[in-house]
Amino acid sequence: MEPKDYIVEKIDGDYAHLKNLDDGEVMLIARALIPDECDEGTLLHWENFVYTVCN
């Protein structure tokens, strides 16, 4: 699987809505899978099944 970049569009309780920056597709994932410091508008990089905050 190739690396992907996302933006956190919405935090909804225990879930986060992530928008793929390449194709605009939005997916819902468990909040526990992304770093604790994430908030709406945070840019994330996904690689090797791990999400990290982009600087």
Side-chain angles (χ1 to χ4, degrees), residues 5-55:
D5 293 313
Y6 296 93
I7 188 165
V8 179
E9 281 204 324
K10 181 179 177 183
I11 301 289
D12 188 16
D14 291 335
Y15 294 92
H17 299 254
L18 303 184
K19 182 177 182 180
N20 186 317
L21 296 179
D22 289 333
D23 61 16
E25 184 177 334
V26 177
M27 65 181 204
L28 184 67
I29 67 158
R31 178 72 176 82
L33 296 176
I34 61 176
D36 289 338
E37 66 267 23
C38 288
D39 201 0
E40 293 178 2
T42 301
L43 294 173
L44 294 173
H45 180 75
W46 179 84
E47 190 169 3
N48 297 325
F49 302 100
V50 176
Y51 291 95
T52 54
V53 175
C54 294
N55 295 329

